[in-house]
Amino acid sequence: MRGGLLTSGGNKLTNQHFRLNWAWISFEKEYYLINEDSKFLDIVLKRRGYLGETSFISISTRDGTAHKDSDFKGKAQKQVQFNPGQTRASWRVRILSDEEHEHSETFQVVLSEPVLAVLEFPSVTTVEIIDPGDESTVFIPQPEYSVEEDVGELFIPIRRSGDVSQELMVICYTQQGTATSTVRTSVLSYSDYISRPEDHSSVVRFDKGEREKTCRVVVIDDSLYEEEETFQVLLSMPMGGRIGDKFPGAKVTILTDKDDGEF
């Protein structure tokens, strides 16, 4: 830096050089994404510029949709120290998990009051806490169902867990096994059920707040003696959620009617 120096006698020396040695402190990242099941988040601070002195920086949290002591807890230490030569430091935040289903929530961590340093961007970082359990998830509650051939209609339950505040749609379709299927307009003889295609005609819709719907399958009683036969009821292409990993589908067994074929 170029400037002038005023002496005690009132004389001025021009074109004198001054050197200001600054240490610059900021967060390493402007944004963090953390799972609610994680126990800790280490937020990294960095320092550049002049590193010959010890620098200090105050650090604090600012509530957003996430709240201190219910969703997170900052480290008791409210100041971070950089020793001579040190370029990186961290400050730990504890993430508090609960059993409630919530949307993602955010809070901020803020730097202020630097000592032997100055702030630079970003001096605020945002932390978003996500809970995978909150995602709306559809599933069939058990892997197998049995039904008599003369039942007429079979209603397979479809359940939804997690966030149910929005609508959700999912296709419930059938897949042929040992039982043979037919489409609704076909001749029903020698078929065991009416198939549900994997397209828009097989959509099951959940309204806001709904947790259970049914997938209707028509079972055909052809009055012929047959061994037990099976087919699959499956879920696919969800909109507004995801399909659960445990039971994405179910096997349906059509039980033998011992009277069929007897005279």
Side-chain angles (χ1 to χ4, degrees), residues 107-246:
F107 67 95
Q108 293 182 318
V109 183
V110 182
L111 298 178
S112 63
E113 301 176 7
V115 177
L116 295 178
V118 292
L119 286 175
E120 68 174 341
F121 179 85
S123 60
V124 177
T125 187
T126 298
V127 180
E128 180 177 1
I129 305 172
I130 60 171
D131 182 358
D134 291 345
E135 187 176 7
S136 189
T137 304
V138 288
F139 59 96
I140 296 175
Q142 62 187 67
E144 295 187 23
Y145 293 86
S146 297
V147 63
E148 298 287 345
E149 188 181 42
D150 61 357
V151 69
E153 294 177 317
L154 169 64
F155 294 93
I156 298 291
I158 305 174
R159 291 180 185 165
R160 180 161 67 143
S161 63
D163 182 9
V164 296
S165 64
Q166 301 299 321
E167 296 178 350
L168 180 143
M169 291 185 290
V170 66
I171 290 176
C172 178
Y173 69 101
T174 56
Q175 189 175 82
Q176 189 167 306
T178 58
T180 56
S181 66
T182 184
V183 296
R184 189 172 299 277
T185 56
S186 299
V187 177
L188 301 185
S189 299
Y190 305 106
S191 298
D192 300 295
Y193 66 98
I194 295 178
S195 64
R196 294 177 61 101
E198 192 178 4
D199 62 27
H200 68 279
S201 65
S202 298
V203 165
V204 175
R205 177 173 177 161
F206 288 80
D207 290 329
K208 295 179 181 180
E210 284 190 318
R211 292 189 175 272
E212 183 163 323
K213 301 288 280 190
T214 57
C215 179
R216 176 177 173 267
V217 181
V218 175
V219 178
I220 301 168
D221 185 357
D222 56 15
S223 299
L224 297 175
Y225 176 76
E226 298 169 310
E227 298 293 334
E228 291 182 354
E229 295 182 304
T230 63
F231 64 95
Q232 298 280 332
V233 177
L234 303 168
L235 302 177
S236 70
M237 291 184 274
M239 293 182 61
R242 69 180 182 91
I243 295 173
D245 298 328
K246 190 174 182 181

Side-chain angles (χ1 to χ4, degrees), residues 63-79:
D63 284 0
T65 53
H67 299 280
K68 184 179 178 182
D69 296 328
S70 60
D71 299 300
F72 67 92
K73 183 173 289 187
K75 194 174 180 181
Q77 173 193 354
K78 298 304 180 184
Q79 199 174 55

